[in-house]
Amino acid sequence: MSTFGKVFRVTTYGESHCKSVGCIIDGVPPGLSLTEEDIQVQLTRRRPGQSNLTTPRNEKDRVAIESGCEFGYTLGTPICLTVQNQDQRPHDYSETDFYPRPSHADWTYLKKYGVKASSGGGRSSARETIGRVAGGAVAEKYLTEVYGVEIVAFVSSVGEIDMPTSSEGMSGEAFQKLLATITREQVDQNTVRCPDQETADRMQEEILACSSEKNSTGGIVTCVIRNAPVGLGEPCFDKLEAMLAHAMLSIPATKGFEVGSGFSGTRLKGSEHNDAFEADASGSLRTKTNHSGGIQGGISNGESIYFRVAFKPPATISQDQQTATYAGQDGILAARGRHDPCVVPRAVPIVETMAALTIMDAVMQQNARSATSAKLKPVPAELKGIKPV
């Protein structure tokens, strides 16, 4: 469906070439200071036409708060956020009346609904993510103010080009140091959004080469969530990593997700992979290492949460492609339109805001449980299952 979240709920609307796109957010706490500029920052990072590495579609993506706020504060009622589509060119897609684009959603949407959007990708278009980014920016505002949560994503690979620290896996020492200190300002110092400038230069060359060849390439976005509260997530079906995977794999063009040590962790022995505990300065516990990626038993443990999201090469390319018409006749599709040769530079704020939506929803669920439990008498010590050594 088009709604994400259980308590903090975001419903997105709109297609690639309709009049507007946006979202309705339900569950925003009342009293949060919120302006359009708070939301605009992430939308501007996501918008097309930022550089020669992205689609030339020229959209300003200016957001308007239509409801749910007065005098700069949220009312606790549904917030409607809209962004006008201004640079539509639906005539660029007339060939898709005859051909389903290879690896795009044209064919599957038609089989599912019996109709499809006549221009662009309809709901499968990346324009749909505007509503996600807008809603996630609101969630992040609350998380930052109340908990000091920091969410930073960056491009760690394009095609076969990887950051040097990626070679030893996400739980490697060098990569962990990067995750502990990386900032959005560092990420945005180049248009690729890779914090290693030498690697970013090589990535840019690869993307530009694909563009000149009317081709595309994929990549990986890495994300870290710092200062997330302890206790987020559920033990079984709604484990925090499962909800993050749900969020990330709902983003267009995603094909893979790994959290913590991920797939490289399968090469370790248990004695190497286990995160031993130690006392912190406050007398509580923390882990000496973080192969778990900040989540154990499906529940956040207070350490940094980190994960990677794989994006495929964009399906729409301008090369002639031997394929078949809807009628099954062999033919050549010469796709037009304006498309990214690589989506990962613009996917960075989408990953960040989907992470914010996931954490915000988990926070509100946990706070509801904690507030309800606090009304009861204290649990006897023997029921907590803790005994002194």
Side-chain angles (χ1 to χ4, degrees):
M1 306 301 283
S2 294
T3 299
F4 182 85
K6 295 182 177 179
V7 182
F8 191 94
R9 294 165 55 86
V10 174
T11 301
T12 70
Y13 77 88
E15 292 86 37
S16 179
H17 293 272
C18 64
K19 291 184 178 180
S20 71
V21 290
C23 70
I24 294 177
I25 318 171
D26 206 359
V28 180
L32 173 67
S33 172
L34 185 68
T35 66
E36 290 166 349
E37 286 307 310
D38 293 327
I39 303 166
Q40 190 61 50
V41 174
Q42 285 288 56
L43 284 174
T44 298
R45 294 177 78 217
R46 192 222 72 95
R47 78 174 186 86
Q50 297 178 46
S51 71
N52 59 352
L53 302 183
T54 68
T55 169
R57 179 170 175 170
N58 186 20
E59 296 281 3
K60 302 304 180 187
D61 288 350
R62 298 298 303 181
V63 68
I65 300 177
E66 305 283 2
S67 67
C69 289
E70 279 189 1
F71 309 112
Y73 289 91
T74 58
L75 299 174
T77 53
I79 295 176
C80 177
L81 304 175
T82 62
V83 170
Q84 299 300 311
N85 280 334
Q86 296 177 323
D87 190 18
Q88 308 106 311
R89 295 184 189 174
H91 55 273
D92 280 353
Y93 297 88
S94 58
E95 67 276 2
T96 62
D97 291 341
F98 306 97
Y99 291 92
R101 287 169 291 177
S103 288
H104 214 293
D106 302 330
W107 175 245
T108 52
Y109 270 47
L110 181 62
K111 297 303 288 184
K112 180 176 179 64
Y113 296 107
V115 296
K116 72 175 186 67
S118 61
S119 60
R123 290 290 284 166
S124 70
S125 168
R127 293 295 291 168
E128 180 273 336
T129 63
I130 284 175
R132 303 164 181 247
V133 172
V138 176
E140 187 176 14
K141 180 86 187 306
Y142 180 91
L143 293 171
T144 300
E145 287 191 6
V146 176
Y147 297 100
V149 170
E150 299 174 344
I151 304 174
V152 183
F154 57 92
V155 175
S156 52
S157 79
V158 167
E160 297 186 2
I161 302 170
D162 299 318
M163 287 180 58
T165 48
S166 297
S167 60
E168 57 183 15
M170 287 197 294
S171 57
E173 184 177 350
F175 209 67
Q176 285 295 304
K177 287 182 178 179
L178 174 67
L179 295 178
T181 59
I182 187 71
T183 66
R184 288 185 185 172
E185 289 73 24
Q186 291 173 311
V187 172
D188 287 346
Q189 285 180 357
N190 58 67
T191 53
V192 181
R193 294 203 165 105
C194 172
D196 184 86
Q197 187 60 53
E198 182 179 347
T199 307
D201 291 341
R202 294 170 55 216
M203 290 176 174
Q204 178 169 319
E205 291 176 4
E206 174 67 14
I207 296 172
L208 291 175
C210 284
S211 181
S212 66
E213 297 165 0
K214 299 181 179 180
N215 214 334
S216 63
T217 186
I220 295 174
V221 172
T222 297
C223 184
V224 61
I225 306 170
R226 298 189 289 254
N227 303 324
V230 180
L232 306 183
E234 304 300 324
C236 295
F237 301 109
D238 289 342
K239 294 177 187 290
L240 188 57
E241 65 262 51
M243 299 312 296
L244 284 167
H246 175 195
M248 298 306 146
L249 293 177
S250 73
I251 300 171
T254 53
K255 284 297 180 184
F257 174 85
E258 59 177 343
V259 62
S261 60
F263 294 107
S264 63
T266 64
R267 301 178 184 275
L268 301 177
K269 298 292 191 296
S271 56
E272 299 171 300
H273 193 271
N274 286 345
D275 295 319
F277 289 100
E278 64 181 358
D280 63 15
S282 67
S284 184
L285 291 179
R286 63 165 301 161
T287 59
K288 294 181 179 180
T289 54
N290 191 18
H291 299 294
S292 302
I295 305 172
Q296 293 173 326
I299 300 169
S300 62
N301 64 5
E303 304 296 330
S304 291
I305 299 167
Y306 59 94
F307 55 87
R308 295 200 296 191
V309 187
F311 289 81
K312 69 173 183 175
T316 305
I317 58 176
S318 297
Q319 287 186 8
D320 291 353
Q321 298 179 81
Q322 186 73 44
T323 184
T325 66
Y326 285 104
Q329 298 173 332
D330 291 342
I332 296 176
L333 171 62
R336 293 174 293 156
R338 297 156 295 171
H339 308 282
D340 294 86
C342 181
V343 299
V344 289
R346 290 178 58 213
V348 164
I350 305 173
V351 168
E352 290 171 344
T353 46
M354 287 304 295
L357 289 176
T358 306
I359 298 299
M360 183 65 179
D361 196 42
V363 161
M364 295 188 74
Q365 291 181 58
Q366 180 61 16
N367 285 349
R369 176 185 286 107
S370 299
T372 304
S373 177
K375 303 291 184 182
L376 301 172
K377 295 179 180 179
V379 174
E382 57 267 24
L383 292 182
K384 293 185 178 181
I386 303 173
K387 295 182 180 180
V389 176

